[in-house]
Amino acid sequence: MGKAASSRPIESQAPTMADVALRAGVSAMTVSRALKEGSRVSKATREKIMAAVNELGYVLDQSAGSLSSRKTGFVAAIVPSINNSNFADTARGITDELESTGLQLLLGYTDYTVEKEEKLIEAMLRRRPEGIILTGGAHTERARKLLKSAGIPVVETWELPSKPIDQVVGFSNEEAMGLLVKTLARKGYRKFGYIGGTTSRDTRGSQRREGFVRAIEELGLPTGRLVSFGVPPISIEQGGQAIVSMLERWPDTEAVLCVSDLSAFGALMECKRRGMKVPQDIAIAGFGDYEVAAFCHPGITTVNVDCYGIGRQAARRLIQVIRGAEKKQGQEIVLTGYRVVEREST
Amino acid sequence: MGKAASSRPIESQAPTMADVALRAGVSAMTVSRALKEGSRVSKATREKIMAAVNELGYVLDQSAGSLSSRKTGFVAAIVPSINNSNFADTARGITDELESTGLQLLLGYTDYTVEKEEKLIEAMLRRRPEGIILTGGAHTERARKLLKSAGIPVVETWELPSKPIDQVVGFSNEEAMGLLVKTLARKGYRKFGYIGGTTSRDTRGSQRREGFVRAIEELGLPTGRLVSFGVPPISIEQGGQAIVSMLERWPDTEAVLCVSDLSAFGALMECKRRGMKVPQDIAIAGFGDYEVAAFCHPGITTVNVDCYGIGRQAARRLIQVIRGAEKKQGQEIVLTGYRVVEREST
DNA sequence: CTGTTAGCGCTTTCAG
DNA sequence: CTGAAAGCGCTAACAG
């Protein structure tokens, strides 16, 4: 349809800006201006151009534009898993904050491995993002180097890395888990158990576990009741299996804290299946305040984290640097809030 | 650091291919070849180049490359929500299938509105993806037009649109819900109720509802027990509120089918909270086979959908067209499987 | 307000 | 196996 005067056969190529310009009887530059907000183009000209744009179904080629303007309009974000509502919330926060800026999100997930993260970082840097958001502070040396030579702002989230690359938006998982222990200790529980994954690739999980151990020690409570089960992220099902193991080894455990609400929910359901009463026979708590924790029965005590806010704030920090409001004034650290939410499971 | 011989001040620009070429003592073209798989470059030259690449921390600029090669290496995918494990699974399927091809995913979510979808489609087309995957068959007219003039393969998923744009990878939500009704009717349930969202913006939800109504009619069972509650996607909490409404209006309902497992889970927990026995007092079923449905107590009867497979197959269809294996041979429709999973809740 | 010229960083194409 | 020239589609910079 249309688009004649070409030596090529029928195949309809996507129209270019020159095609629009020709049709509107102006130069390509004027078309470029008309399609950009806040450029001075006369109303009549703009209307002619818009008509041509609509007739041709023209869509700006941003790759070409960004090569010229040296701004790609991309922001990269890397999360451990997309299939985890905590991180999905963070991704949503990033997108929402980006929406009004015209920046577009390049999202990737690492499956909780730094090797995949490194590959992803490299793949994304090939797209020349104007900033990048990472989860956690554990990265390969090569990834750190690539990030540094990229010369773009970096925000690490969800933790407080001991060796931050650039900016940080997060909280101490150790302290948050410690707070949960102390809150429950105050209610009278003494024999605490912990359920988490087996490897240390989930650094937030490791930090929570450390926070648990340290808090138990500080309070002078019985130590050692740690069950590691499954490769992180540990699932609902694995939470159920883990508590079986816990009950076999330490049947007199009074309260079980889990690395996340998903494992806590699995543990809770397994207990109910076995006819145990929660919290009378055993108390269970999780981490992350997933929707399931709030609405299951009994509701699960947990630590609420501002996942969405982490995303928004991380994106906001990036935008401020990208849009040049501030000239990257050193390593900013934004602490995000968390709070223990007590429910019927404890 | 390094990178002298420039008139510009200290600020370290990202190195370009010319910088690498200079350092390695070859032409830019040879660097380009060395960085591309399966190109003939002598071992010695390649080593020199790789050394220079590493020293400079060089990363290929794919925007520039794709402008020249007319291949962006992008595939776009649009889902209703990223924070829904069914769609997250589909997104994961797409990414996994794409991984070996070097294609990169541009992911966006619509919040279940066709208006946001249209904007997203336009934003993504500006990046010149080589193919695009959509959820469902409801789109604005303008979105359809944009898609057509883009001249790229399109795959609609999760439904069987009556007016497909191009390819389809999905299943009939109507039939799937009908199958669930029939399965439960066979167990003796007669008075069926349905819980779903209020508007029709969730087209899959509407289709499931239609499938429910039609199956009930076909079986000659009591009709009309439909509760609409909340704007889709209806949450766990709203599922709980909806069943309260159901019980008030039709207290003798025997089995409640919900538009998704999330609302079913909410309904189930609300029943337990009220001391009702499931399935003795009331049976509950969901849709989607979310992890929570499998491991809650009692387990929730549901319809398992191959979410991950939808993603993989959709991506595979796209890749085949993109990589030119087949010249877009008309409207392909791939039917994906589903099956009723009976658990203790019915 | 509009046009012209140049060039972004890479790859295609054609020579060697 | 390597290089030189040309140009992808757009926008910065300058001119008018």
Side-chain angles (χ1 to χ4, degrees):
Chain A
M1 281 180 235
K3 186 110 204 310
S6 162
S7 58
R8 236 167 288 156
I10 312 157
E11 195 171 330
S12 84
Q13 293 289 118
T16 155
M17 197 174 259
D19 296 324
V20 177
L22 193 68
R23 185 158 193 136
V26 295
S27 74
M29 195 56 232
T30 305
V31 175
S32 175
R33 288 196 184 101
L35 294 177
K36 187 144 244 138
E37 305 228 339
S39 293
R40 297 146 300 254
V41 177
S42 81
K43 208 180 157 204
T45 311
R46 168 168 271 126
E47 275 166 9
K48 267 191 304 183
I49 291 173
M50 285 316 187
V53 164
N54 286 327
E55 283 160 33
L56 295 172
Y58 173 71
V59 175
L60 192 66
D61 184 336
Q62 205 164 161
S63 328
S66 57
L67 180 61
S68 180
S69 67
R70 324 193 45 48
K71 283 182 184 171
T72 57
F74 275 129
V75 161
I78 296 178
V79 295
S81 161
I82 203 179
N83 201 340
N84 172 302
S85 86
N86 275 187
F87 295 126
D89 281 341
T90 297
R92 205 163 42 83
I94 296 170
T95 322
D96 288 357
E97 186 70 31
L98 252 33
E99 188 165 28
S100 60
T101 65
L103 257 18
Q104 198 163 86
L105 180 64
L106 271 177
L107 185 63
Y109 61 88
T110 66
D111 275 331
Y112 294 85
T113 74
V114 288
E115 291 76 23
K116 208 172 165 199
E117 190 199 47
E118 180 187 305
K119 280 194 183 152
L120 220 39
I121 287 174
E122 191 171 13
M124 302 202 144
L125 289 181
R126 279 199 278 268
R127 303 297 186 169
R128 296 291 187 269
E130 300 183 44
I132 184 166
I133 297 171
L134 306 174
T135 308
H139 320 286
T140 65
E141 263 319 306
R142 178 141 176 285
R144 285 179 181 278
K145 203 191 151 199
L146 287 172
L147 255 9
K148 285 195 173 147
S149 34
I152 56 174
V154 177
V155 183
E156 290 167 284
T157 60
W158 270 92
E159 297 179 15
L160 300 181
S162 55
K163 217 177 81 183
I165 297 177
D166 183 8
Q167 306 190 64
V168 174
V169 174
F171 63 97
S172 165
N173 286 267
E174 233 169 311
E175 279 179 22
M177 185 54 91
L179 179 62
L180 181 57
V181 171
K182 282 164 200 157
T183 305
L184 295 183
R186 210 170 297 130
K187 293 185 80 167
Y189 296 107
R190 311 283 303 164
K191 295 172 185 160
F192 283 88
Y194 183 83
I195 286 174
T198 49
T199 74
S200 62
R201 62 182 207 164
D202 173 11
T203 52
R204 289 155 300 289
S206 310
Q207 289 155 10
R208 287 171 203 166
R209 182 183 160 129
E210 274 178 51
F212 172 85
V213 170
R214 196 203 290 170
I216 293 292
E217 283 169 359
E218 282 178 13
L219 293 169
L221 299 176
T223 60
R225 298 169 187 240
L226 304 171
V227 169
S228 295
F229 196 98
V231 175
I234 128 171
S235 65
I236 293 178
E237 182 172 19
Q238 291 169 324
Q241 297 167 313
I243 200 158
V244 172
S245 163
M246 175 74 71
L247 292 170
E248 278 169 6
R249 297 171 67 185
W250 300 287
D252 60 339
T253 302
E254 297 165 2
V256 177
L257 274 52
C258 303
V259 66
S260 91
D261 283 350
L262 298 181
S263 38
F265 177 72
L268 172 61
M269 290 299 134
E270 182 60 34
C271 288
K272 303 214 82 171
R273 210 168 280 123
R274 298 178 162 233
M276 294 176 71
K277 289 208 188 312
V278 177
Q280 292 84 349
D281 298 335
I282 192 164
I284 294 176
F287 198 107
D289 201 11
Y290 290 64
E291 196 188 8
V292 68
F295 295 103
C296 68
H297 179 71
I300 299 174
T301 292
T302 187
V303 178
N304 174 282
V305 175
D306 184 15
C307 316
Y308 180 78
I310 288 176
R312 284 203 83 117
Q313 295 209 63
R316 198 172 309 145
R317 305 295 309 137
L318 234 39
I319 292 165
Q320 283 174 348
V321 179
I322 292 170
R323 293 302 175 231
E326 46 196 84
K327 260 287 175 201
K328 196 183 168 184
Q329 50 189 41
Q331 287 169 359
E332 303 271 336
I333 294 189
V334 176
L335 291 176
T336 59
Y338 57 83
R339 61 175 203 282
V340 172
V341 179
E342 293 191 67
R343 300 209 177 93
E344 306 93 54
S345 72
T346 58
Chain B
M1 275 179 239
K3 184 115 205 304
S6 162
S7 59
R8 237 167 287 154
I10 312 156
E11 195 172 329
S12 83
Q13 292 291 117
T16 156
M17 197 174 258
D19 296 324
V20 177
L22 194 67
R23 188 160 191 133
V26 295
S27 74
M29 197 52 236
T30 306
V31 176
S32 175
R33 289 197 184 97
L35 294 178
K36 188 142 246 140
E37 306 228 339
S39 294
R40 298 146 299 255
V41 177
S42 81
K43 207 181 158 203
T45 312
R46 168 168 270 125
E47 276 166 10
K48 267 192 306 184
I49 291 173
M50 286 315 187
V53 164
N54 286 327
E55 283 161 31
L56 295 172
Y58 174 71
V59 175
L60 193 65
D61 184 336
Q62 205 163 162
S63 328
S66 57
L67 180 61
S68 181
S69 67
R70 321 191 51 40
K71 285 182 184 171
T72 58
F74 276 129
V75 161
I78 296 178
V79 294
S81 161
I82 202 179
N83 201 338
N84 171 303
S85 84
N86 275 186
F87 297 125
D89 280 341
T90 298
R92 205 162 43 80
I94 297 170
T95 322
D96 288 357
E97 185 71 30
L98 251 34
E99 189 165 29
S100 59
T101 65
L103 257 16
Q104 198 162 85
L105 180 64
L106 270 178
L107 185 64
Y109 61 88
T110 66
D111 275 331
Y112 293 84
T113 73
V114 287
E115 291 76 23
K116 211 176 163 196
E117 190 199 47
E118 179 187 305
K119 280 195 183 153
L120 219 40
I121 287 174
E122 190 170 14
M124 301 201 145
L125 289 182
R126 279 198 279 267
R127 303 297 186 171
R128 294 291 186 269
E130 300 183 45
I132 184 165
I133 297 171
L134 305 174
T135 308
H139 320 286
T140 65
E141 264 318 306
R142 179 142 176 283
R144 285 179 181 278
K145 204 192 152 198
L146 287 172
L147 254 10
K148 284 193 174 148
S149 35
I152 55 174
V154 177
V155 183
E156 290 167 285
T157 61
W158 271 93
E159 297 179 17
L160 300 180
S162 55
K163 216 176 82 183
I165 298 177
D166 184 7
Q167 305 190 65
V168 174
V169 175
F171 63 97
S172 165
N173 286 267
E174 234 168 310
E175 279 179 21
M177 184 55 91
L179 179 62
L180 180 58
V181 171
K182 282 163 199 158
T183 306
L184 295 182
R186 210 171 296 131
K187 293 186 78 168
Y189 295 107
R190 309 283 304 164
K191 294 173 185 159
F192 283 88
Y194 183 82
I195 286 175
T198 48
T199 73
S200 62
R201 62 183 208 164
D202 173 11
T203 51
R204 290 154 300 290
S206 310
Q207 288 155 12
R208 287 171 203 165
R209 181 183 159 128
E210 273 178 51
F212 172 85
V213 169
R214 196 202 289 170
I216 293 291
E217 283 170 359
E218 282 178 13
L219 294 168
L221 299 175
T223 60
R225 297 170 188 239
L226 304 171
V227 169
S228 296
F229 196 99
V231 176
I234 127 171
S235 65
I236 293 180
E237 182 172 19
Q238 291 169 324
Q241 297 168 313
I243 200 161
V244 171
S245 163
M246 175 74 71
L247 292 169
E248 277 170 6
R249 297 172 66 184
W250 300 287
D252 60 339
T253 302
E254 295 165 3
V256 176
L257 274 52
C258 303
V259 66
S260 91
D261 283 351
L262 298 181
S263 37
F265 177 72
L268 172 62
M269 290 299 134
E270 182 59 33
C271 288
K272 302 213 84 170
R273 210 169 281 123
R274 296 178 163 233
M276 294 175 71
K277 290 206 188 313
V278 177
Q280 293 83 349
D281 298 334
I282 193 164
I284 295 176
F287 198 106
D289 201 11
Y290 290 65
E291 196 188 7
V292 68
F295 296 104
C296 69
H297 179 71
I300 299 174
T301 293
T302 188
V303 178
N304 175 281
V305 174
D306 184 14
C307 316
Y308 180 78
I310 288 177
R312 284 202 85 118
Q313 295 210 62
R316 198 171 309 143
R317 304 295 310 136
L318 234 40
I319 293 166
Q320 283 173 349
V321 179
I322 292 170
R323 295 299 176 234
E326 46 196 87
K327 261 286 175 199
K328 196 184 170 185
Q329 50 189 39
Q331 288 168 1
E332 303 271 336
I333 294 189
V334 176
L335 291 176
T336 60
Y338 57 83
R339 62 175 203 282
V340 171
V341 180
E342 293 190 66
R343 301 210 176 94
E344 306 93 56
S345 72
T346 57

